[in-house]
Amino acid sequence: MCRCKGYPHYKKSDKCETLTAGRNSEFSHFSRGEFFPDSEKSSTQKINRYISMSITAWIAVLVIIATIYCLIKRYETRLVLFTAGLFLCCISMKPMAALDQFAKSMTNASLIMAICGAMGFAYVVTHTSCDRHLVSLLAAPLKRLGILLIPAATAVTFFVNIAIPSAAGCAAAVGATFIPVMIRAGIRPAAAGAAILMGTYGSILSPGMSHNNFVAGISKMNVMDLISLHTPFSLIMMGIGLVGITIVCLVLRDNKPTAEELAAYSAKEGGAPIEKINFLKALAPLIPLIILVLGNKYVPALKMGVAQAMVLGAIFTLLVSWCDPQKFSKEFFRGMGNGYGDVMGIIIAAGVFAAGLRSAGLIDAFVTALKASNELARWGGSLGPFVLAVITGSGDAATFAFNEAVTPHAVNFGMQVPNLGSLALISGSLGRTMSPIAGVVILLSGLAMVPPIQLVKRTAVPMIVAVITLALIMV
């Protein structure tokens, strides 16, 4: 007799083989004190892994909620995004992921050139008052249009915003001239401010807009090709905005202001129209756009990058304005520095935030959900940045975070990277246009001398219709 696993039996007998085989098939070895069937052991490991991933992902969800709350409370955007991303990387035991992403984002050559060049040019255009000459030139033939002055002002602002991609900068330049003109023409101050606000998403067609350059970079395509891709959809959104705000203002009878409303408008208007328009100065803000369009479509010899076009535009501006070149130079480089700090700073912080979401496993879970449904991807890419932009007042933070974290995975759920990226950047701009806490809304409400909610009341319905339409037609 022998002893096999503690049971007495005869050597090499059928009974021995049967007992041994049965016992081995039923239980695993006794190592480390385990006493589970193999199938149960495997299931337990899977459950443990799932629970571990889910806990981290749920913490990430709570961090997102806290981040949104901080942005609503107007805490510093870059600080909030960076801190949230670093925290998520630390609890995921990957602190270097945040620091590596920080270093990678701050040395993105294509974005730095485009953004800093565009901001430097925007500063010198404002410094030389060339933006006011352009606005005055466009405003001159529009003074006697009545209620049609509202869509006309929106269209002009949209066009100017392409040349001056900063929403606040464009609103300041256009609003200072157009709002007094519209009020004198019999338009309520709130409607005048809302008309300008509705046009401040024209920068989605600007090669100087940071989002266009960012999406073009992750799509590995030329920025002008990306703009050509989403231009039809952007123009449809513009059409919805034009028709929508006109209808809303007609319903609210904004073309028949009361005497009290006109009296409430302060006589301190600021930024009066230019009396003697210099056509060359009015042309200066458009020079980079003209060069980029001609170079990429019609004249190959003029093909160049955004930064190069902005420098040529700055040189033209200096020549036609004939101002002090030393002050001009200081303004240009001040704009470049602020462009890196203000715009690139948000991109860098959003990259760290996205790295935190990836480390926590939330991005993988989200991408897996999007893979299961193209419809979910469509509505997530449109309504996600839109709602966040409305809540936080900034289309930049929400759009950069989405495009950094989710858009590169577009092919995994049956979409293309440039399409999803364009969907997010347009919807983010639409959302910011109806946020009562957005900087551009507050600026225009000050110029029109009305509460911000009065402007948003006129832009909200058209923007909601536009983002739903965008989700239905773009994907």
Side-chain angles (χ1 to χ4, degrees):
M1 295 183 61
C2 72
R3 302 183 64 83
C4 178
K5 300 292 183 183
Y7 289 88
H9 53 271
Y10 293 97
K11 294 182 180 179
K12 297 183 180 180
S13 67
D14 294 338
K15 184 178 180 181
C16 174
E17 293 176 0
T18 302
L19 286 170
T20 303
R23 186 172 181 82
N24 287 341
S25 64
E26 181 181 0
F27 297 106
S28 62
H29 297 294
F30 291 102
S31 59
R32 292 179 294 177
E34 296 180 9
F35 194 71
F36 294 101
D38 287 336
S39 60
E40 184 178 338
K41 177 183 176 182
S42 177
S43 299
T44 302
Q45 290 175 341
K46 291 179 181 178
I47 291 173
N48 287 336
R49 285 197 300 268
Y50 175 75
I51 292 174
S52 176
M53 183 187 70
S54 297
I55 291 174
T56 309
W58 277 112
I59 292 175
V61 172
L62 296 177
V63 170
I64 291 175
I65 295 173
T67 300
I68 294 173
Y69 172 80
C70 291
L71 292 176
I72 293 174
K73 300 299 287 185
R74 314 294 288 179
Y75 292 120
E76 213 284 319
T77 301
R78 292 161 294 188
L79 174 64
V80 171
L81 293 175
F82 178 83
T83 303
L86 180 60
F87 173 76
L88 288 174
C89 287
C90 289
I91 66 169
S92 303
M93 307 305 293
K94 299 177 182 177
M96 286 304 298
L99 303 181
D100 290 342
Q101 182 61 48
F102 183 90
K104 178 182 177 182
S105 297
M106 70 182 296
T107 55
N108 190 321
S110 59
L111 278 181
I112 292 172
M113 289 189 293
I115 292 171
C116 292
M119 290 296 290
F121 177 69
Y123 269 58
V124 297
V125 163
T126 301
H127 173 69
T128 57
S129 298
C130 289
D131 53 349
R132 294 176 59 202
H133 281 269
L134 174 62
V135 172
S136 297
L137 176 66
L138 296 174
L142 303 177
K143 295 181 179 179
R144 294 185 175 86
L145 291 180
I147 189 65
L148 294 180
L149 186 56
I150 290 175
T154 299
V156 170
T157 306
F158 187 91
F159 176 72
V160 173
N161 198 203
I162 299 175
I164 308 173
S166 166
C170 174
V174 178
T177 298
F178 264 78
I179 289 177
V181 169
M182 295 175 73
I183 293 174
R184 293 192 196 103
I187 304 296
R188 282 179 171 170
I196 305 300
L197 173 62
M198 184 63 78
T200 56
Y201 62 93
S203 59
I204 55 179
L205 297 182
S206 172
M209 185 191 189
S210 55
H211 293 289
N212 280 325
N213 287 277
F214 185 84
V215 175
I218 62 177
S219 304
K220 295 180 172 57
M221 61 191 301
N222 183 275
V223 65
M224 296 305 294
D225 293 334
L226 177 75
I227 293 174
S228 298
L229 173 70
H230 68 68
T231 292
F233 306 102
S234 301
L235 293 178
I236 291 173
M237 298 304 102
M238 172 62 177
I240 293 174
L242 285 173
V243 175
I245 194 169
T246 304
I247 294 174
V248 171
C249 290
L250 280 172
V251 171
L252 296 176
R253 301 175 65 84
D254 283 332
N255 59 327
K256 296 181 179 180
T258 64
E260 291 78 10
E261 288 174 322
L262 293 179
Y265 179 71
S266 174
K268 185 180 178 182
E269 297 170 355
I274 300 294
E275 295 298 330
K276 185 177 180 181
I277 300 173
N278 184 321
F279 179 77
L280 292 178
K281 283 191 173 184
L283 181 63
L286 305 177
I287 291 298
L289 182 64
I290 294 172
I291 293 174
L292 290 169
V293 171
L294 291 178
N296 283 275
K297 295 293 183 182
Y298 307 107
V299 187
L302 290 178
K303 188 171 183 178
M304 63 184 68
V306 175
Q308 293 89 328
M310 295 298 169
V311 171
L312 289 180
I315 294 173
F316 181 89
T317 302
L318 175 62
L319 294 176
V320 299
S321 62
W322 203 248
C323 62
D324 184 348
Q326 295 190 78
K327 293 182 179 179
F328 184 93
S329 176
K330 290 178 180 178
E331 281 297 309
F332 184 83
F333 286 102
R334 187 165 71 91
M336 287 182 60
N338 288 345
Y340 191 94
D342 296 340
V343 182
M344 276 301 298
I346 294 178
I347 296 175
I348 293 168
V352 174
F353 181 63
L357 297 179
R358 281 195 299 269
S359 299
L362 189 61
I363 296 302
D364 292 338
F366 187 53
V367 171
T368 300
L370 294 180
K371 287 180 185 178
S373 173
N374 185 265
E375 289 297 313
L376 183 59
R378 169 191 297 175
W379 294 107
S382 55
L383 296 184
F386 178 83
V387 172
L388 286 176
V390 173
I391 293 173
T392 64
S394 171
D396 289 342
T399 305
F400 277 129
F402 184 91
N403 280 335
E404 175 78 34
V406 179
T407 301
H409 303 282
V411 293
N412 294 332
F413 37 88
M415 299 176 67
Q416 296 182 355
V417 171
N419 293 68
L420 182 58
S422 299
L423 177 67
L425 76 88
I426 295 175
S427 63
S429 297
L430 297 177
R432 183 263 300 152
T433 306
M434 61 167 284
S435 172
I437 61 174
V440 64
V441 176
I442 296 171
L443 170 65
L444 285 171
S445 68
L447 291 175
M449 306 297 173
V450 294
I453 196 66
Q454 291 296 321
L455 274 60
V456 171
K457 184 168 72 173
R458 291 160 172 81
T459 61
V461 173
M463 292 298 92
I464 293 172
V465 173
V467 75
I468 293 174
T469 304
L470 182 67
L472 292 175
I473 67 175
M474 192 167 184
V475 180

